[in-house]
Amino acid sequence: MVPLVIQNRCPLPPRWSQLRPQLRPQPVGRAPKGPSSANSSLGALRGLRISIACVLLGGCMIASAEAQGPDGPMSSTPYGSEGGGYGEGSGYGSESGPAASGPEANLTTGPTPMSLYQLVQPEWTPLRQQLARVMQPPTTPPTPPMVGPLLRNEANVAYRYGNLPLARELYFGFLARGGVDSQEDLNSLKFSAYFRRPVWQLRWGASIGLHGDTEVTDYAPIRADGKTPGGMGEMAGMGEMSSSYESEMMGPNSGLGPEGGPGSSSMDSMSPYEQRMDAVGGPGSSGTPQYDRDGRMIDPSASVAAAPEAQMTDPSVGERMEELMGYVATVVTEGMKTRMASGQFGAAFANLDPDAKDQGDTVAGDYVQPSDPRMWIPSVVYLGEGSTQEMSKAAAEQNIELLLHFDVSMKTVRNSSPQNSTRVKVIDGRSGRTLITSDEMDNRELQRLLQTKRATAESYVNDALEKFWSVLDSKLSLRDFPTLTPAQSRARVTGVLGDSTFSLLRKLAEIRYMGNQGWLTEDEMEQAFAIAASNDGMTILYGSQADAVTAIHEIAQ
């Protein structure tokens, strides 16, 4: 067979030898090489461009071979000149020649793109598989970047996930380790005049004491609008009539869906794809697609599966208080939240952002489980329901210093709503002694005042709590920590080491504070750490950061 001559017809690219290795087909099952998925995507696109060039080049070669014919090599005469190329009387396309199959070729520019595609028929499956692999979302989201000291972040994580005891221990470990990052938190130490000792945060608890005719189904608490369900002398059946009417209107034959609209709910009428996209913030929702550092889209459902949702407090506690005490619970809850957030009872965790995304979501590599008991509001744990004596005992067992106790007395009234009488108390968790008691807040008394227009629900509750808040603020608020002499500091260290209510890390944190203030020498602080924690104390004081964090994790957990 005569050699193929392609000179002046379809010249080879100048870097053919360099492109040849890139044109070798890659096995389907092999993952694309490269430093990242983004580079793989770029390489795939480059390969696509080269593949197209190869298709065109191969088409030129095949067309040249066909033009050469079986009798001899093609002439070097340019297209369109006499006696050469695709003109009359020579080559294919003449009247006496055989009919050409496939799309008709252009006599000036050569074969059409469709004829080239039919002749070559490139295999696109490997390229499609590579692109699909690159665009596939990862199964887990990227770890959120952490900003700030590790132990402080872990304390915040434990707090956000509702484990207050662990959060406090990690916080004290962070203080005991010391360093530049801990100076602000160390210096936030305050002094409790009532307990006569330094504190970073008072340990608060809450409880409910329900007694009297507790078998009632409606506790008839005070409401913000002053209305009591059932009222005084109102028809007790009104509530049942309303409920029956609503059930009848929302029944299966009413034509109303769960939202009160015609037919079924909007979610029922959506396709599975639309339901999923609506749930994860897809097209048409307020969600914005997120991408990892390799440029791949993060599947929102993967993030939900990877990290549990942080829940600092137990919402069921608030619901129970609202059921029993109504507007009284609302006012007391907001009053305590405001005081805790302002640092009135200690600065630890006072300004924590519950939705922070730059602190990580694990402690020592593990997700955090809520503690038992759970928190009612930030920094206040809920101990449950029981008598004053029972709850005082529970507070002592949980090492609670101050207990906020809601005393709710119920009494049934014939042909009317029950009488609900509530008082709020503050109890010393160590001794069980009642420190503060509010005035009584009675739902029936409020109804009489409303009828004579002498009060509103807001004024009535606030007046009953005015003295309570005043005594609480003056008696239990913290003040600045006083300056100690070296002798007083040494005496204080002795007291700290012997205090059984302090955890080990809490002791080390206060010793570190006194050492940082210059009230203890370095040798005195070292000796105190050694007495309190032995080898772990020396690791926390002088060890590497990794060793110190490991020791603190073991002590805290």
Side-chain angles (χ1 to χ4, degrees):
M1 182 176 180
V2 181
L4 182 65
V5 179
I6 59 174
Q7 185 177 4
N8 297 329
R9 297 297 182 115
C10 188
L12 289 174
R15 300 179 59 188
W16 173 265
S17 59
Q18 298 179 12
L19 294 177
R20 184 175 300 162
Q22 303 181 30
L23 299 179
R24 295 173 181 171
Q26 184 176 357
V28 174
R30 185 177 302 171
K33 297 183 179 180
S36 65
S37 298
N39 291 338
S40 301
S41 178
L42 181 59
L45 295 178
R46 289 176 177 171
L48 174 61
R49 185 174 60 187
I50 295 173
S51 300
I52 294 174
C54 292
V55 170
L56 297 178
L57 180 62
C60 293
M61 297 171 61
I62 293 172
S64 300
E66 292 178 347
Q68 180 181 357
D71 298 331
M74 292 186 305
S75 171
S76 59
T77 307
Y79 294 118
S81 59
E82 295 182 3
Y86 292 104
E88 295 183 357
S90 63
Y92 302 107
S94 62
E95 295 182 358
S96 60
S101 61
E104 183 178 356
N106 189 303
L107 300 180
T108 304
T109 59
T112 64
M114 181 57 67
S115 64
L116 292 178
Y117 180 80
Q118 291 178 349
L119 291 172
V120 178
Q121 294 187 354
E123 177 60 46
W124 301 106
T125 302
L127 178 60
R128 282 196 291 265
Q129 291 178 347
Q130 292 183 25
L131 292 176
R133 188 161 43 241
V134 170
M135 298 304 296
Q136 182 180 6
T139 57
T140 58
T143 302
M146 292 190 297
V147 179
L150 174 62
L151 288 171
R152 188 65 167 94
N153 284 337
E154 289 185 334
N156 293 343
V157 168
Y159 189 83
R160 289 191 291 110
Y161 278 86
N163 196 322
L164 182 58
L166 177 60
R168 283 174 173 160
E169 288 301 290
L170 293 170
Y171 179 76
F172 292 143
F174 167 65
L175 299 180
R177 173 62 177 172
V180 177
D181 293 330
S182 65
Q183 292 306 305
E184 181 178 354
D185 290 283
L186 275 172
N187 294 332
S188 67
L189 184 67
K190 298 294 182 180
F191 182 77
S192 171
Y194 175 76
F195 291 107
R196 300 192 61 78
R197 66 170 181 82
V199 294
W200 274 283
Q201 187 184 63
L202 289 173
R203 297 188 292 271
W204 275 91
S207 61
I208 299 174
L210 179 64
H211 54 88
D213 299 329
T214 58
E215 68 278 3
V216 298
T217 57
D218 179 13
Y219 297 100
I222 295 174
R223 300 297 182 186
D225 56 6
K227 296 180 180 179
T228 300
M232 297 179 60
E234 292 185 9
M235 296 174 57
M238 288 296 294
E240 297 180 2
M241 292 174 59
S242 174
S243 177
S244 175
Y245 173 77
E246 181 178 352
S247 176
E248 188 174 315
M249 289 298 296
M250 296 298 292
N253 299 323
S254 64
L256 296 178
E259 300 298 328
S264 60
S265 67
S266 59
M267 284 296 292
D268 292 337
S269 63
M270 297 169 65
S271 67
Y273 171 79
E274 292 172 329
Q275 293 182 21
R276 170 171 172 78
M277 296 306 295
D278 183 74
V280 302
S285 70
S286 58
T288 302
Q290 301 293 324
Y291 300 89
D292 63 10
R293 60 185 179 183
D294 292 332
R296 296 178 298 184
M297 186 177 70
I298 299 174
D299 186 1
S301 61
S303 62
V304 175
E309 180 182 358
Q311 190 176 58
M312 183 184 301
T313 59
D314 187 353
S316 64
V317 178
E319 294 171 0
R320 177 60 172 169
M321 290 188 174
E322 177 70 21
E323 178 188 19
L324 295 178
M325 295 168 283
Y327 186 60
V328 175
T330 301
V331 174
V332 175
T333 299
E334 292 303 319
M336 287 298 296
K337 278 185 176 181
T338 300
R339 286 164 173 79
M340 299 302 298
S342 67
Q344 183 171 327
F345 303 119
F349 307 110
N351 299 317
L352 178 67
D353 180 9
D355 300 321
K357 304 298 183 184
D358 58 354
Q359 300 167 351
D361 49 20
T362 61
V363 172
D366 297 324
Y367 293 123
V368 179
Q369 299 298 323
S371 62
D372 186 20
R374 296 287 305 276
M375 280 191 279
W376 160 50
I377 61 173
S379 299
V380 182
V381 298
Y382 177 67
L383 301 182
E385 297 185 23
S387 65
T388 302
Q389 294 75 17
E390 292 172 341
M391 293 296 97
S392 297
K393 182 179 179 180
E397 293 174 351
Q398 294 289 334
N399 201 18
I400 298 297
E401 296 170 316
L402 294 171
L403 177 64
L404 187 72
H405 185 72
F406 296 90
D407 186 90
V408 183
S409 175
M410 300 298 303
K411 183 179 179 180
T412 57
V413 179
R414 187 177 181 180
N415 297 327
S416 183
S417 61
Q419 182 179 7
N420 184 320
S421 178
T422 303
R423 294 179 185 269
V424 186
K425 302 178 180 180
V426 175
I427 301 173
D428 187 331
R430 303 174 305 174
S431 63
R433 183 167 63 95
T434 299
L435 304 179
I436 312 170
T437 303
S438 71
D439 293 341
E440 186 179 47
M441 289 163 280
D442 188 287
N443 62 341
R444 298 182 68 83
E445 180 184 2
L446 174 60
Q447 290 299 320
R448 287 190 290 268
L449 295 174
L450 290 173
Q451 290 175 357
T452 58
K453 298 182 179 181
R454 290 186 294 167
T456 63
E458 181 179 1
S459 64
Y460 176 74
V461 173
N462 287 335
D463 289 345
L465 293 172
E466 181 179 5
K467 185 178 179 181
F468 173 84
W469 293 126
S470 176
V471 176
L472 183 146
D473 294 339
S474 62
K475 192 171 186 176
L476 300 178
S477 295
L478 306 179
R479 60 187 65 174
D480 292 338
F481 192 78
T483 302
L484 303 181
T485 65
Q488 292 173 328
S489 298
R490 289 190 291 270
R492 177 59 190 165
V493 169
T494 303
V496 168
L497 294 175
D499 195 333
S500 60
T501 64
F502 284 173
S503 67
L504 175 57
L505 293 174
R506 168 63 178 82
K507 296 177 181 181
L508 297 181
E510 187 170 340
I511 295 171
R512 167 70 77 172
Y513 170 80
M514 290 186 285
N516 280 17
Q517 295 297 320
W519 303 338
L520 297 175
T521 65
E522 185 175 348
D523 291 340
E524 290 172 337
M525 186 169 63
E526 178 181 332
Q527 184 179 8
F529 267 65
I531 294 173
S534 187
N535 293 335
D536 286 336
M538 295 299 97
T539 301
I540 295 173
L541 193 61
Y542 298 122
S544 65
Q545 179 68 11
D547 291 341
V549 169
T550 300
I552 291 171
H553 283 162
E554 293 176 354
I555 297 172
Q557 298 179 340

